[in-house]
Amino acid sequence: MDGTVFIHTNEKQIIGAIVAAHAMRRNSRQPDAFEVRIIKAEEQPFLAAHEGRAFLRDGATRVWRNDDLQSFTPLRFLPPALMGYQGRAVVVDPDVFAVGDVHALLTRDMHGSAIMCRAREGAKQYASSVMLLDCARLTHWRCEEQFEELFQMRRDYMDWISLRCEDPATIGLLEPEWNDFDRLTPATQMLHTTKRRTQPWKTGLPVDFTPSARHLDRSLGGRLRSMVRSIKGKPAPRATYEPHPQPAVEAFFFQLLGECLDQGLVTEAMLREQMARDHVRHDAFEVLARVRRQAAA
């Protein structure tokens, strides 16, 4: 085997994770040359043990909630240990879907880097949502211990997740196409539906994640609207997931989901259960039918 692809997820994103695993194999010319594993947050007791505790994020304290949409993110740092600190691994979020061949990523020349990932805007900012890892060089990744440091206020979540705790000399850069943010083009290798508000399998559902501080409405108008609602005793309107701005992204996801249903990777009963729990949009079967009609036309 040439390595393992790890998809980390929680129950809220399990359909995305199953579709992501399918896409990894489907779009590889050598699907038998690597393993694909799904890591579930609910199966990691150390995450559950911190429910309701304060932790350090972006210089401020937040409360850890295991039912948050992205409670799986610390598991990005678990694969080297799961690999026994040997071999190659690719780790991706459950909303990352292979368009190209992940085997080409697993076997590429890392030029001595321990980690390869996409750069983000800003100094020493990296997108750890898609990473190629040389596990033998990451023996200092101790996921459970370092997660605990967040609650001891000794490690900042944003520093950890943005790889600012790593030596920059050990990080190599991937082309943006290997972590293409909400953009599907002929060059895309990995489509990442990174804007949570427009994930195509959640359109119309109530938002179930905590927005980051920079996305809160701190304008004068926003504060006034909040004040008026408070005086009138009215709750704030609950935001909903919006359609993806690129229809091709929605069609691509639902094509993959349809294949998962055909192959029994996702059952109709499972999908209906996820719909009932507001993890998948309630019109999913209608969208599937429409995408299939368009593909057949």
Side-chain angles (χ1 to χ4, degrees):
M1 303 291 279
D2 291 324
T4 301
V5 177
F6 291 90
I7 302 166
H8 56 310
T9 188
N10 56 25
E11 186 61 27
K12 287 189 174 185
Q13 296 282 58
I14 190 63
I15 293 297
I18 294 170
V19 171
H22 166 65
M24 293 291 179
R25 299 184 182 96
R26 173 194 190 271
N27 291 327
S28 176
R29 289 184 293 275
Q30 300 185 63
D32 297 326
F34 57 91
E35 186 180 1
V36 181
R37 294 176 60 183
I38 293 177
I39 317 171
K40 297 179 181 179
E42 290 80 5
E43 296 174 356
Q44 305 299 325
F46 73 91
L47 294 181
H50 289 79
E51 176 67 27
R53 289 182 57 186
F55 69 101
L56 185 62
R57 176 171 176 154
D58 217 8
T61 57
R62 299 279 284 272
V63 174
W64 180 260
R65 298 297 184 198
N66 283 290
D67 66 350
D68 188 80
L69 185 69
Q70 291 192 297
S71 62
F72 56 81
T73 52
L75 302 182
R76 294 175 184 177
F77 300 96
L78 194 55
L82 295 177
M83 295 283 287
Y85 298 101
Q86 298 178 39
R88 293 275 187 98
V90 165
V91 57
V92 303
D93 282 4
D95 54 0
V96 173
F97 308 103
V99 182
D101 190 345
V102 70
H103 185 257
L105 180 59
L106 273 167
T107 57
R108 74 181 286 167
D109 188 347
M110 296 183 71
H111 299 287
S113 299
I115 308 163
M116 294 192 75
C117 59
R118 175 179 174 168
R120 298 189 74 102
E121 293 182 5
K124 200 183 173 186
Q125 295 271 355
Y126 303 98
S128 61
S129 45
V130 174
M131 293 186 288
L132 172 62
L133 308 176
D134 181 350
C135 297
R137 299 192 57 200
L138 295 168
T139 55
H140 61 289
W141 280 21
R142 305 287 173 173
C143 183
E144 186 171 348
E145 296 172 20
Q146 290 161 348
F147 181 67
E148 174 61 32
E149 290 175 2
L150 303 181
F151 300 86
Q152 297 171 358
M153 307 299 160
R154 293 169 48 209
R155 179 181 293 258
D156 190 299
Y157 171 90
M158 290 308 299
D159 288 341
W160 193 30
I161 217 75
S162 300
L163 301 180
R164 291 196 289 261
C165 300
E166 301 298 316
D167 179 355
T170 67
I171 302 175
L173 297 183
L174 292 177
E175 299 80 9
E177 290 77 19
W178 282 107
N179 191 357
D180 228 342
F181 298 156
D182 284 289
R183 194 182 65 138
L184 184 59
T185 75
T188 299
Q189 299 298 311
M190 296 272 195
L191 168 65
H192 186 182
T193 55
T194 187
K195 292 180 181 176
R196 292 171 291 179
R197 192 73 169 265
T198 59
Q199 289 185 331
W201 60 96
K202 291 182 174 285
T203 306
L205 296 177
V207 164
D208 55 355
F209 61 85
T210 304
S212 62
R214 67 180 181 275
H215 290 139
L216 296 175
D217 188 353
R218 301 298 189 190
S219 67
L220 176 60
R223 293 198 301 271
L224 286 173
R225 286 189 292 273
S226 179
M227 188 181 303
V228 169
R229 284 194 299 268
S230 178
I231 292 170
K232 293 183 176 181
K234 294 181 177 180
R238 195 170 183 188
T240 57
Y241 285 89
E242 301 168 358
H244 197 280
Q246 190 176 356
V249 169
E250 178 181 281
F252 180 69
F253 174 83
F254 276 92
Q255 177 192 357
L256 292 171
L257 177 58
E259 293 170 1
C260 288
L261 281 163
D262 292 342
Q263 297 177 27
L265 302 173
V266 173
T267 65
E268 180 177 336
M270 181 192 304
L271 194 56
R272 291 195 183 280
E273 179 193 4
Q274 292 293 312
M275 291 162 65
R277 296 173 68 183
D278 280 350
H279 297 168
V280 174
R281 61 193 291 174
H282 296 171
D283 63 346
F285 286 102
E286 289 83 353
V287 179
L288 275 165
R290 170 168 51 80
V291 168
R292 284 178 159 168
R293 285 196 302 271
Q294 291 172 345

